[in-house]
Amino acid sequence: MSAVPSDLQYTTEHEWVTSGEPVTIGITANAADALGDVVYLELPEVGSQVTAGAVCGEIESTKSVSEIFSPVTGTVVETNDEAVADPGLVNQDPYGRGWLLRVEVVAAGPLLSADEYAALTAS
Amino acid sequence: MSDDLTQDPARRGPLHAEHLTLGAAMTPFAGWSMPLRYTSDLEEHRAVRTAAGLFDLSHMGEIRLTGPAAGAALDRALVGNLSALAVGRARYTMICAPDGGVLDDLVVYRPGADQYLVVANASNVDVVLAALRERCTGPGVEVTDESEATALVAVQGPAAVRVLEPLIADPDERAAVVGLRYYACTFASVGSGADAGGAVRAMVARTGYTGEDGFELYVTADDAPALWRVLLAAGATAGLVPAGLACRDSLRLEAGMPLYGNELDRTTTPYEAGLGRVVKLDKVDADGAPLEFVGRGPLAARAGSEPARVLVGLQGLSRRAARHGYPVVTPGGTVVGEVTSGAPSPTLGHPIAMAYVTPEVSAVGTDLAVDVRGRPEPVRVVDLPFYRRPASA
């Protein structure tokens, strides 16, 4: 089981989110491992609105597909074109080059600390 | 993300410790804890297409029928003509309910004149065993469940011969394995040359579920770890890697092979699945009279009529893949079928799917759509299989 970075916050749906403005959002290593090799990302348009707890995209592997739930409410200011072109980055570096989108936050949804997320996935 | 990340404890096969040593991600499958992947689904898939993969299939069920009446008993119990199967050959067949619905699809081997080995899907072993015990009674046939004591290891891929050949010390056995025809079986002792004393006795069959050349090796559960290690070590130079159930599913889908629970189930007859050829309606008994096998009446009625739905291949024309259970629709939005299996094809680079659709939209070239989570994605009916291995392999 991979370590959970302590400087991020998490959702129960296995997304991570940075602090700061705008925030960066991705999926956890735990989630990437469960999906298997990611082969396709569908991310929201830059300029579109996302809502905390609502679906904002899809992440597809050979084996399965999962929806991406936005950890925050706000406006999408950037998406990771590099990861869209090479979705394997989500597996290789889920907390780094495999980030998914950046959002100007209006409001954050309910988020977990690293310890809380680690406890959630340890069970 | 909404994937269930929990893993249930389940039955452990004889190679469980090997998988953990290799760092496999384990997954519950048909009541077993099985390796889903060791490193990467895509890498394992590609290794099988270009070199070789090593699969643990010990969860499959092995049921042996012995005795002089075994072949005749299977003729009554299954849809195929197993008494006509030559010794040393194998056949893909099915066991049906009295109404013609498929209870399981099977590979049946005839390793000896009075010996048949019936290999069932893990999820159906109990059903198949109960049906065979009920149907194969009387003198001259005995039904034995060997699932627990038997391990199955598969070497699949174009390098399969290169991996296995040097591990068989006896020249006659080696020649028999190398020359083995597709859907044939023989016996051989398999081991590393340095450890000839530790060779493992195996029934070696040229069968598989990947669309590649390859072998399936049936050994005792006790012998499985030694065989597994010797194959892994010897195969490394040929590019063999351990391969999990995730790539097994994407490989069989590319090869257009049905999976019980997806393309086949109790409500489906072999005809709808495009596998009517396995039903031998003209089977006769020892006296030359028509043979009443289980399911014959309803199957004979189906054979002469167009099924209400047919299994087709669909090529995705966009990026989002159709998945099991998604509706197939016309360009106008009318529902005409349902996807049974679907995934992005690692070999072809676009989504592929199998689906049951109404006959009027089943012709190759027909443009349809699949409702992928609320949005129609364009697909086209194509021939199965999606992938055929190069003829030289």
Side-chain angles (χ1 to χ4, degrees):
Chain A
M1 195 57 60
S2 35
V4 176
S6 59
D7 56 338
L8 302 173
Q9 288 185 289
Y10 300 87
T11 71
T12 56
E13 305 289 349
H14 310 285
E15 289 84 17
W16 55 261
V17 56
T18 62
S19 52
E21 189 65 46
V23 299
T24 303
I25 294 166
I27 67 163
T28 66
N30 206 351
D33 287 349
L35 266 173
D37 295 311
V38 175
V39 295
Y40 177 57
L41 291 175
E42 185 168 274
L43 300 176
E45 299 282 325
V46 170
S48 67
Q49 305 295 307
V50 293
T51 305
V55 172
C56 67
E58 291 178 349
I59 184 160
E60 185 145 24
S61 69
T62 306
K63 178 179 150 274
S64 63
V65 60
S66 272
E67 291 172 318
I68 304 163
F69 293 86
S70 181
V72 297
T73 297
T75 305
V76 178
V77 295
E78 189 180 356
T79 55
N80 187 352
D81 295 337
E82 194 192 8
V84 169
D86 180 10
L89 288 174
V90 175
N91 298 104
Q92 293 156 28
D93 193 7
Y95 300 112
R97 291 175 67 204
W99 65 276
L100 300 178
L101 60 153
R102 295 206 165 104
V103 176
E104 293 279 5
V105 178
V106 174
L111 297 173
L112 305 177
S113 70
D115 286 347
E116 287 166 335
Y117 181 71
L120 176 79
T121 53
S123 56
Chain B
M1 300 295 301
S2 53
D3 258 24
D4 183 2
L5 299 174
T6 60
Q7 292 191 0
D8 296 329
R11 288 175 74 184
R12 293 174 173 188
L15 295 171
H16 191 262
E18 307 298 320
H19 303 319
L20 297 188
T21 301
L22 291 165
M26 304 299 287
T27 189
F29 182 80
W32 293 80
S33 174
M34 296 300 293
L36 181 64
R37 74 179 69 84
Y38 299 85
T39 55
S40 148
D41 305 338
L42 291 174
E43 283 172 25
E44 291 164 26
H45 183 110
R46 286 175 187 139
V48 174
R49 289 275 179 258
T50 59
L54 182 65
F55 295 86
D56 173 18
L57 308 172
S58 298
H59 58 309
M60 304 283 283
E62 292 85 11
I63 301 164
R64 191 176 300 274
L65 278 82
T66 50
L74 283 175
D75 285 350
R76 290 189 302 274
L78 310 181
V79 299
N81 194 2
L82 283 308
S83 61
L85 184 65
V87 173
R89 301 305 297 268
R91 188 156 294 167
Y92 177 73
T93 186
M94 296 188 193
I95 183 166
C96 286
D99 68 359
V102 179
L103 293 178
D104 200 9
D105 61 336
L106 309 165
V107 176
V108 178
Y109 300 91
R110 191 175 191 181
D114 293 347
Q115 296 268 345
Y116 289 85
L117 189 68
V118 176
V119 179
N121 284 299
S123 53
N124 291 328
V125 179
D126 293 345
V127 168
V128 174
L129 182 64
L132 288 177
R133 287 205 164 124
E134 186 188 315
R135 298 175 188 184
C136 301
T137 54
V141 57
E142 195 180 341
V143 178
T144 314
D145 179 16
E146 299 186 348
S147 303
E148 192 74 36
T150 306
L152 171 54
V153 170
V155 182
Q156 298 281 303
V161 172
R162 222 159 5 111
V163 172
L164 197 53
E165 184 177 7
L167 299 177
I168 301 167
D170 183 282
D172 292 338
E173 288 183 353
R174 188 167 61 234
V177 166
V178 171
L180 205 57
R181 294 165 67 186
Y182 190 51
Y183 267 73
C185 60
T186 185
F187 290 88
S189 293
V190 182
S192 69
D195 184 23
V200 163
R201 198 68 189 155
M203 186 180 93
V204 182
R206 205 153 203 163
T207 46
Y209 193 52
T210 60
E212 295 300 330
D213 185 24
F215 299 93
E216 293 183 310
L217 292 87
Y218 295 83
V219 298
T220 67
D222 290 345
D223 283 342
L227 177 68
W228 178 265
R229 286 178 206 157
V230 93
L231 287 167
L232 260 191
T237 53
L240 174 138
V241 299
L245 292 186
C247 78
R248 183 168 159 86
D249 193 46
S250 52
L251 288 159
R252 71 93 195 164
L253 176 58
E254 287 184 343
M257 294 172 164
L259 171 64
Y260 196 90
N262 287 32
E263 285 72 37
L264 300 171
D265 61 27
R266 287 289 293 267
T267 69
T268 306
T269 70
Y271 295 103
E272 292 156 310
L275 295 164
R277 60 185 162 78
V278 306
V279 183
K280 304 301 181 190
L281 293 169
D282 53 358
K283 278 192 275 190
V284 294
D285 64 18
D287 302 322
L291 194 145
E292 273 305 316
F293 61 91
V294 178
R296 187 184 191 285
L299 288 171
R302 288 289 187 113
S305 62
E306 187 178 51
R309 54 189 188 135
V310 292
L311 190 67
V312 295
L314 299 176
Q315 176 183 339
L317 304 178
S318 66
R319 292 288 302 273
R320 297 167 80 230
R323 302 280 180 173
H324 176 75
Y326 290 3
V328 181
V329 298
T330 63
T334 309
V335 174
V336 288
E338 188 174 301
V339 173
T340 52
S341 298
S345 162
T347 306
L348 303 173
H350 57 69
I352 55 173
M354 289 195 276
Y356 279 109
V357 299
T358 54
E360 52 276 12
V361 297
S362 65
V364 167
T366 305
D367 282 321
L368 297 170
V370 173
D371 181 344
V372 178
R373 299 180 294 283
R375 219 164 69 207
E377 298 291 346
V379 298
R380 183 167 296 151
V381 178
V382 294
D383 278 319
L384 290 171
F386 302 102
Y387 166 86
R388 217 182 279 274
R389 71 173 177 265
S392 58

